[in-house]
Amino acid sequence: MTAADTKAADPPAAPPQKPRKAAPGPPGGGVRPSRKPRPKLPYLLIAPAIVAIGAVFGYPLVETVIMSFQDMRRAHLWGGTTPPWVGFEQFTNILGDPEFWWVTFRTVLFMVVCVVATMGLGLLTALLMQRLSTWVRLLLTGALVAAWSMPLLVATSIFRWLSDSDYGVINSTLSKIPGLDFQGHNWFLNPWQGFTVIGAVVVWGAIPFVVVTLYAALTQVPKELEEAAQLDGAGVIGVFRNVTFPVIKPVFQMVATLSVIWDFNVFGQIFLMRGNKPEPEYELLGLYSFSKAFDSASFSQGTAIALITVLLLSGVAVYYLRQLMKTGEVE
């Protein structure tokens, strides 16, 4: 059979087809994943909790907003009569009161000092836990959890006893130092010294959470990266700044944001340390709102201060939610 016969025996070739236009894919040339419908079961399971939270917090919040635009007094509260509507008068009076801005400045300053002390001591303790033996680390963790679980009333009572002017351990210890005489010294006559004791209570109660959380984040730092940085000549500070901290930074930011929210709303520590009757120089925004609402019998003014506090913290709350979304905790 010749080449011509072989060519004649082959079936005719199919005409060339026009290539189909490929669907646009994701940037980088990857394959577009198929979007699966989200299951509805998780939403159904958390629906009762959302309804309960909305009922518990939603109704008081609405009533608080309404009350801040009224002028509710004790006569309206006990008599059941409707208080008069005053619009923005409560907010105007508060924002025009210099005392409110002094209390706000005092609150911010106290919060900054407590947050810096809490995060600094917490980070140092978490770094120390990495260098402890196993049994010592477990013992320290148990002590931190015990301090964390202690009720606020008990912790405050302990610090009141420590700083007592007659029987306090602090005065007794400082008096043993040559040249110092703290017998009978009242730490709360000077607000700076009093806030130092109160700040110690706040920091002491917040450090366990910070230490446990940051230590868990430190365990996720790859040891290979730290060893490589040390081989390149980086010191302890250089390894922490360039390797360790960038890994734990998201957790550090979230814990610091929570500390800002908690320390901005400090109430119980001051209220209990001052025998349920804090002096005006010890009032932060929470106590200032409480004082206006109950001591001055102006419930609407107290609720207006509470709403202003919520607005001041709303920016911090938004930042916290953004950090959660960046770390993948919230979709």
Side-chain angles (χ1 to χ4, degrees), residues 72-74 99 283 288-299 301-302:
M72 176 172 285
R73 301 286 178 168
R74 290 180 180 176
E99 183 182 3
E283 287 183 348
Y288 186 64
S289 174
F290 178 85
S291 175
K292 289 294 183 181
F294 294 97
D295 294 344
S296 302
S298 179
F299 302 103
Q301 197 170 21

Side-chain angles (χ1 to χ4, degrees), residues 214-232:
L214 292 182
Y215 176 74
L218 288 172
T219 58
Q220 305 303 314
V221 179
K223 299 299 181 183
E224 297 80 5
L225 296 179
E226 295 180 339
E227 294 175 356
Q230 292 175 355
L231 292 176
D232 290 339

Side-chain angles (χ1 to χ4, degrees), residues 300-319:
S300 296
Q301 197 170 21
T303 55
I305 297 173
L307 284 180
I308 294 175
T309 305
V310 171
L311 292 177
L312 292 175
L313 288 176
S314 59
V316 182
V318 171
Y319 177 79

Side-chain angles (χ1 to χ4, degrees), residues 18-274:
K18 186 177 181 181
R20 296 180 179 180
K21 186 177 181 180
V31 180
R32 180 185 294 274
S34 59
R35 177 174 295 180
K36 297 181 180 180
R38 294 185 177 182
K40 298 180 180 180
L41 181 59
Y43 299 97
L44 294 176
L45 293 176
I46 65 174
I50 295 177
V51 173
I53 293 175
V56 172
F57 292 99
Y59 176 75
L61 179 61
V62 173
E63 288 295 324
T64 300
V65 174
I66 295 175
M67 190 185 301
S68 65
F69 291 97
Q70 298 173 337
D71 187 15
M72 176 172 285
R73 301 286 178 168
R74 290 180 180 176
H76 305 101
L77 181 64
W78 301 113
T81 58
T82 302
W85 191 270
V86 295
F88 290 94
E89 181 179 344
Q90 303 291 352
F91 296 95
T92 303
N93 295 335
I94 293 169
L95 297 177
D97 187 3
E99 183 182 3
F100 168 78
W101 294 109
W102 275 112
V103 173
T104 302
F105 171 76
R106 189 185 303 139
T107 304
V108 173
L109 180 61
F110 179 80
M111 177 268 297
V112 170
V113 173
C114 288
V115 170
V116 171
T118 301
M119 298 306 299
L121 294 175
L123 180 59
L124 290 176
T125 306
L127 292 171
L128 176 64
M129 290 179 64
Q130 287 187 307
R131 292 162 173 79
L132 298 177
S133 60
T134 303
W135 71 273
V136 177
R137 183 167 59 249
L138 292 176
L139 184 63
L140 179 58
T141 303
L144 291 172
V145 173
W148 192 8
S149 61
M150 182 175 296
L152 177 62
L153 178 60
V154 177
T156 307
S157 300
I158 293 175
F159 274 84
R160 285 188 64 180
W161 169 69
L162 290 174
S163 60
D164 186 79
S165 57
D166 297 325
Y167 308 102
V169 177
I170 298 178
N171 289 349
S172 176
T173 303
L174 292 177
S175 297
K176 294 180 180 180
I177 300 177
L180 296 180
D181 184 14
F182 277 83
Q183 292 295 336
H185 178 73
N186 191 340
W187 290 86
F188 293 95
L189 290 179
N190 187 339
W192 289 99
Q193 297 180 4
F195 270 115
T196 301
V197 178
I198 296 171
V201 182
V202 175
V203 173
W204 182 83
I207 278 183
F209 171 77
V210 176
V211 172
V212 173
T213 306
L214 292 182
Y215 176 74
L218 288 172
T219 58
Q220 305 303 314
V221 179
K223 299 299 181 183
E224 297 80 5
L225 296 179
E226 295 180 339
E227 294 175 356
Q230 292 175 355
L231 292 176
D232 290 339
V236 177
I237 298 178
V239 171
F240 175 79
R241 183 177 65 249
N242 299 315
V243 178
T244 306
F245 188 74
V247 177
I248 68 172
K249 183 179 178 180
V251 178
F252 185 89
Q253 289 177 332
M254 287 190 294
V255 174
T257 306
L258 287 175
S259 298
V260 169
I261 297 174
W262 293 335
D263 294 346
F264 199 87
N265 291 314
V266 167
F267 179 90
Q269 291 88 340
I270 303 177
F271 191 76
L272 295 173
M273 289 289 291
R274 301 310 303 136

